């Protein structure tokens, strides 16, 4: 029957085409069953493309396009692998491995935007391929096309794997809270006021007749608040009755789980009609901010956020890879069936609003530990993701390249209004200028002393600017002075890297800058993506051993300062040094390649070992006693940063041979084997006992990363004078706080005796 109906449809189109064809002979036609003139379809710049449907993985699904404010599908007529290649590249994958027909991933809804699409495979966007034109189709959703993309990401790609609200924002373009109380107007964030929606060139109100707490929950969530609270309507009534109100909406009926007011059933007042709100007044709501955004410090202590869910690897506040705590160890969530409803539950339990976006395909980098959850199916009102139905993971189900992430709505704090960067070649770089007030309260722009400025301070500046991660912190800026700002207004700035704004970092009360010239002011280079290095902790535990190495074999190592200070007093070349050896496997789980800060022109040649050093200190190796004091130390220069091995589907890009480029590609790892020089701790002077062994990658923060909290690794170490054992090796942020405390105080650790 289906074939018959399709044949009839084609015949009808052919007859119409036959009548129409003579006037169109000048057009180029492409062969297709329907024989319709095909042309490129003009679409908005940066056409949105997404994968949808079920069942699917993050790199496959039904193709949907966002056009004229509406998501729609592509018909499978004349579909080809060339079309799939174009679409997969738009989605951030390197290529396609296949395509599907007949709605394999389920029937879409709404428009079928494109039909008879014919790409040659090299187009940058599907709208540059020939087709029947936007919305011109003779198909049903039974013929929706899908693609299967090669599971290898285009390096640095940022615009795909996003699930956002499927709403017509033209209905409700923007929502705000207008404070009525004078003191509330001056404080941010605004947590209480009249709900207003953008209307033409102004703002309109909503009639509160029939307004429910579920509607309030949606509004608060949109504005970045996790909870709603009761509001004193009588307080507002007298004031609002005197105001001239324009009621755009007369009825809102949210379920409470929506992430946008436009996703709720809405009833608008007719245009040009005199809109009234009989028996009611404008909607007023009050929202409860999360602890990060509270002004009242005593209230902050009372409000608790989840301690068994966290976000990692995000550049901005309220975004990151979702990690959950189970049996005192952190793990990730697989993105199968990941949705805005589940993402919103995570956002709210962490003290943010509803989810702005649910992200799939490890958009915020890959985790390293266990994967605990798959196919999470929250309905949206749960207190925690742990209360939602989910499947436990088996090894076949998921990999870390499918780690789920979120981007949450956060309250408007206006932090970006007190900082700017100027003189750069792009909006992502420049000299940092901050707004400051003098004794009279007069505000002006000023510079930051660059003397103590590092990557960590740059991380905070880029976050405050809303420009993503820090690529580099500059202590000297040779940018063009476009603002004529010359006065230093901040110095001694010292941040942990997690602050929301530079004003929250430590700094001198009175400016004290040795080099006060404008060229010595602080600058930044920001980036949408960043690398993230993590050590394979279990491999360290598996490969550790002791070697007594003769001094005559350690001349090069001594030259590179890889031995303890007491080695200088040894009777060279006689005797030996006792070395604790192990292998280091360093993974890049971020979203940008890790490259040395210095270009190859400034790499240092070490003749003894016959290689270049691209970073003087790449890792620190320490043995700590119960007091945290170092009893042995070592370091490793990065004589060769390269891709030793990569995940399946990821190609090696860096190789040290023949003075090649150095770095670690996303999805690859660099292996420093236990048997190479300096891959050790010199423990010649260490007495038997219990210790903590610590390895820190990129210890001086020379190269920017999305997350520095996972750069350290610790192990419990037991040494009896002849043999050595490592156990409980883990990344610095892998355990719960309780487990980390127990690790620090395991039996024998306190008195430093063998137990």
């Amino acid at each position: 029957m289906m074939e018959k109906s399709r044949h009839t449809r084609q015949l009808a189109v052919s007859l119409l085409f036959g009548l129409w064809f003579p006037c169109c002979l000048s057009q180029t036609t492409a062969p297709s069953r329907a024989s319709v003139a095909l042309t490129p379809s003009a679409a908005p710049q940066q056409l949105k493309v997404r994968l949808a449907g079920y069942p699917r993985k993050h790199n496959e699904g039904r193709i949907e396009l966002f056009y004229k404010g509406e998501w729609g599908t592509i018909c499978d007529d004349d579909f080809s692998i060339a079309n799939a290649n174009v679409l997969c590249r738009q989605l951030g994958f390197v290529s396609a491995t296949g395509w599907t027909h007949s709605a394999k991933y389920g029937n879409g809804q709404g428009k079928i935007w494109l039909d008879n699409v014919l790409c040659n495979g090299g187009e940058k966007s599907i709208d540059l391929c020939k087709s029947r034109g936007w919305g011109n189709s003779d198909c049903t959703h039974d013929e929706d096309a899908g693609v299967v993309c090669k599971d290898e990401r285009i390096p640095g790609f940022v615009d795909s794997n996003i699930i956002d609200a499927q709403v017509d924002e033209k209905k409700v373009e923007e929502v705000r809270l207008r404070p009525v109380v004078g003191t509330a107007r001056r404080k941010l964030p605004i947590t209480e006021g009249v709900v207003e929606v953008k209307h033409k060139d102004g703002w309109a109100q909503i009639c509160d007749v029939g307004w429910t707490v579920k509607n309030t929950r949606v509004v608060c969530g949109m504005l970045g608040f996790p909870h709603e609270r009761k509001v004193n309507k009588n307080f507002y009534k007298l004031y609002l009755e005197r105001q001239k109100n324009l009621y755009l909406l007369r009825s809102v009926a949210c379920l409470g789980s929506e992430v946008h007011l436009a996703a709720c059933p809405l009833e608008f007042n007719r245009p040009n009609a005199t809109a009234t709100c009989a028996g009611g007044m404008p909607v007023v709501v009050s929202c409860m901010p999360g602890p990060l955004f509270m002004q009242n410090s005593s209230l902050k202590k009372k409000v608790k956020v989840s301690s068994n869910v966290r976000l990692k690897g995000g550049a901005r506040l309220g975004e990151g890879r979702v990690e959950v705590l189970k049996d005192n160890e952190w793990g990730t969530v697989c993105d199968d069936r990941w949705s805005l409803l589940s993402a919103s539950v995570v956002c709210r339990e962490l003290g943010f609003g509803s989810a702005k976006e649910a992200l799939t395909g490890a958009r915020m980098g890959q985790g390293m530990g266990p994967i605990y959850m798959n196919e999470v199916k929250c309905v949206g009102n749960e207190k925690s993701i742990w209360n939602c139905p989910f499947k436990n993971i088996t090894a076949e189900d998921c990999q870390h390249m499918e780690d789920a992430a979120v981007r949450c709505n956060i309250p408007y704090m206006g932090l970006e209004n007190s900082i700017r960067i100027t003189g750069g070649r792009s909006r992502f770089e420049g000299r940092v200028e901050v707004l400051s007030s003098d004794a009279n309260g007069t505000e002006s722009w000023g510079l930051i002393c660059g003397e103590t400025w590092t990557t960590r301070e740059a991380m905070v500046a880029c976050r405050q600017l809303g420009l993503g991660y820090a690529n580099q912190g500059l202590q000297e800026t040779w940018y063009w002075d476009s603002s004529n700002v010359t006065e230093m207004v901040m110095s001694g700035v010292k941040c942990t890297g997690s602050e929301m704004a530079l004003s929250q970092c430590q700094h001198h009360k009175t400016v004290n800058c040795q080099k006060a010239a404008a060229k010595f002011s602080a600058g930044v280079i920001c980036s949408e993506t960043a690398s993230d290095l993590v050590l394979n902790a279990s491999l360290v535990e598996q490969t550790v051993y002791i070697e007594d190495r003769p001094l005559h074999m350690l001349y090069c190592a001594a030259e590179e300062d890889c031995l303890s200070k007491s080695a200088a007093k040894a009777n060279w070349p006689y005797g030996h040094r006792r070395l604790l050896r192990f292998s280091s496997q360093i993974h890049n789980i971020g979203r940008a390649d890790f490259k040395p800060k210095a270009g190859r022109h400034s790499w240092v040649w070490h003749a003894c070992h016959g290689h270049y050093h691209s970073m003087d200190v790449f890792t620190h190796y320490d043995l700590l006693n119960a007091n945290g004091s170092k009893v042995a130390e070592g370091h490793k220069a990065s004589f060769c940063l390269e891709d030793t091995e990569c995940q399946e589907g990821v190609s090696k890009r860096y190789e040290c041979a023949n003075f090649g480029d150095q770095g670690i590609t996303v999805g690859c790892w660099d292996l420093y084997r236990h048997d190479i020089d300096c891959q050790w701790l010199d423990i010649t002077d260490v007495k038997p006992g219990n210790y903590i062994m610590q390895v820190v990658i990129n210890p001086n923060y020379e190269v920017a990363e999305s997350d520095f909290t996972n750069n350290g690794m610790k192990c419990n170490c037991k040494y009896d004078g002849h043999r050595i054992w490592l156990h409980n090796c883990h990344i610095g942020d892998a355990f719960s706080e309780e487990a980390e405390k127990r690790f620090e105080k395991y039996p024998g650790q306190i008195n430093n005796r063998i137990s």
Side-chain angles (χ1 to χ4, degrees), residues 95-382:
S95 62
T97 57
W99 61 277
T100 65
H101 58 86
S102 306
K104 178 186 173 182
Y105 300 101
N107 292 19
Q109 294 180 331
K111 300 281 189 183
I112 299 173
W113 279 129
L114 294 177
D115 189 7
N116 299 109
V117 180
L118 290 172
C119 304
N120 61 34
E123 294 88 350
K124 289 189 176 179
S125 177
I126 197 72
D127 57 287
L128 299 176
C129 303
K130 292 178 180 177
S131 74
R132 296 170 64 129
W134 288 99
N136 185 3
S137 171
D138 60 354
C139 299
T140 67
H141 281 297
D142 289 330
E143 301 163 78
D144 284 343
V147 295
V148 180
C149 302
K150 185 178 181 182
D151 198 1
E152 181 181 345
R153 304 290 295 154
I154 297 169
F157 190 88
V158 295
D159 286 325
S160 81
N161 298 107
I162 295 176
I163 304 166
D164 56 10
Q166 298 179 42
V167 294
D168 183 0
E169 292 192 6
K170 290 177 185 174
K171 290 197 296 185
V172 180
E173 184 183 345
E174 194 178 337
V175 178
R176 76 174 185 183
L177 285 186
R178 177 169 60 85
V180 172
V181 184
T183 53
R185 292 176 191 170
R186 294 191 294 271
K187 287 184 179 179
L188 290 175
I190 295 167
T191 59
E192 184 173 304
V194 180
V195 178
E196 296 189 326
V197 294
K198 193 80 179 283
H199 180 60
K200 296 181 180 176
D201 294 328
W203 294 87
Q205 292 76 43
I206 303 171
C207 180
D208 76 345
V209 175
W211 185 263
T212 68
V213 70
K214 291 179 179 178
N215 298 342
T216 302
R217 177 176 168 83
V218 173
V219 170
C220 289
M222 274 183 76
L223 297 173
F225 303 110
H227 307 294
E228 64 285 348
R229 52 189 169 190
K230 286 184 180 179
V231 66
N232 185 352
K233 284 176 67 172
N234 293 329
F235 176 82
Y236 288 91
K237 194 168 186 178
L238 189 63
Y239 169 81
L240 292 172
E241 280 175 351
R242 297 174 187 167
Q243 304 292 309
K244 185 180 178 183
N245 297 307
L246 171 64
Y247 292 104
L248 180 68
L249 287 164
R250 69 176 177 216
S251 174
V252 179
C254 300
L255 297 172
S257 58
E258 296 89 347
V259 297
H260 198 288
L261 199 63
C264 303
L266 306 174
E267 197 176 329
F268 287 81
N269 281 312
R270 280 179 293 174
N272 304 322
T274 305
T276 59
C277 181
M281 62 183 242
V283 168
V284 178
V285 303
S286 182
C287 303
M288 172 74 82
L292 280 172
F293 309 100
M294 283 182 176
Q295 304 286 352
N296 189 329
S297 56
S298 61
L299 197 61
K300 274 185 187 182
K301 296 173 184 175
K302 294 178 184 176
V303 179
K304 291 185 178 179
V305 296
S306 175
S307 59
N308 58 8
V309 180
R310 69 182 183 185
L311 301 181
K312 298 290 287 183
R316 301 168 182 86
L317 202 63
E319 69 174 29
R321 178 176 64 252
V322 179
E323 295 192 352
V324 292
L325 186 66
K326 181 182 177 184
D327 298 331
N328 287 311
E329 186 175 3
W330 290 97
T332 62
V333 177
C334 188
D335 65 10
D336 290 350
R337 301 197 79 162
W338 188 239
S339 69
L340 278 169
L341 292 174
S342 300
S344 288
V345 171
V346 169
C347 289
R348 287 184 188 268
E349 71 174 304
L350 290 172
F352 305 111
S354 52
K356 192 175 183 180
E357 294 166 353
L359 307 168
T360 62
R363 273 291 308 276
M364 294 291 173
Q366 299 181 28
M368 277 289 283
I371 304 172
Y372 287 134
M373 294 179 169
N374 189 20
E375 296 192 20
V376 181
K377 289 181 272 188
C378 303
V379 296
N381 58 9
E382 294 89 347

Side-chain angles (χ1 to χ4, degrees), residues 25 40 101 103 141 154 164 273 442 536 598 655 699 731:
L25 282 172
H101 58 86
H141 281 297
I154 297 169
D164 56 10
T442 306
N536 183 338
E655 190 176 9
I731 302 303

Side-chain angles (χ1 to χ4, degrees), residues 420 422-423 431 433 445 447 480-486:
R420 71 182 182 189
T422 61
R431 188 177 69 179
E433 298 178 1
W445 294 92
L447 305 177
W480 173 57
D481 181 10
S482 59
S483 60
N484 294 322
V485 175
T486 56

Side-chain angles (χ1 to χ4, degrees), residues 12-132:
V13 173
S14 298
L15 286 169
L16 285 169
F17 183 74
L19 294 169
W20 171 68
F21 182 76
C23 67
C24 304
L25 282 172
S26 60
Q27 292 187 358
T28 304
T29 60
S32 77
R33 290 199 303 267
S35 302
V36 182
L38 304 179
T39 57
S41 306
Q45 287 186 332
Q46 289 189 325
L47 176 71
K48 281 188 182 178
V49 184
R50 73 178 181 190
L51 295 173
Y54 181 78
R56 68 180 186 88
K57 291 286 188 181
H58 68 279
N59 58 321
E60 62 178 282
R62 181 177 65 246
I63 280 291
E64 295 191 351
L65 310 174
F66 192 71
Y67 180 66
K68 288 193 172 177
E70 190 176 345
W71 287 100
T73 62
I74 300 179
C75 181
D76 62 13
D77 289 351
D78 294 330
F79 208 84
S80 68
I81 192 68
N83 298 0
N85 274 319
V86 173
L87 288 161
C88 285
R89 284 198 301 274
Q90 276 187 271
L91 287 161
F93 299 97
V94 293
S95 62
T97 57
W99 61 277
T100 65
H101 58 86
S102 306
K104 178 186 173 182
Y105 300 101
N107 292 19
Q109 294 180 331
K111 300 281 189 183
I112 299 173
W113 279 129
L114 294 177
D115 189 7
N116 299 109
V117 180
L118 290 172
C119 304
N120 61 34
E123 294 88 350
K124 289 189 176 179
S125 177
I126 197 72
D127 57 287
L128 299 176
C129 303
K130 292 178 180 177
S131 74
R132 296 170 64 129

